[in-house]
Amino acid sequence: MAVKVRVSYEEPQELQMVTELLQPVIKSCKANKAENGRYKRAYLDVEIPEECEQKSADSPLI
């Protein structure tokens, strides 16, 4: 299953920490370079392995 995730962050170290945690499942990461404002955004494409997919709404992911 493929999922798109938007991450908002203030410092580049925050994005690095998130990508390190999600590294096993990240397919790509695109960070916007020129953004005005307090928060910057990055977009992650994540591939969730079939064994981790939730089979029904009542069963937990883990």
Side-chain angles (χ1 to χ4, degrees):
M1 168 178 16
V3 178
K4 294 185 184 240
V5 178
R6 182 179 72 183
V7 177
S8 298
Y9 62 97
E10 293 184 69
E11 301 294 326
Q13 296 84 0
E14 295 169 333
L15 177 61
Q16 182 180 356
M17 187 179 351
V18 170
T19 55
E20 286 175 7
L21 290 170
L22 295 175
Q23 187 59 41
V25 294
I26 292 179
K27 288 177 22 181
S28 68
C29 176
K30 297 177 186 173
N32 288 349
K33 298 290 181 190
E35 288 192 39
N36 296 329
R38 182 175 177 184
Y39 296 102
K40 298 173 183 75
R41 278 183 242 134
Y43 300 91
L44 309 174
D45 287 328
V46 176
E47 185 66 38
I48 299 175
E50 286 186 30
E51 60 269 6
C52 293
E53 288 183 19
Q54 189 172 356
K55 302 301 180 193
S56 72
D58 296 328
S59 64
L61 244 176
I62 300 174

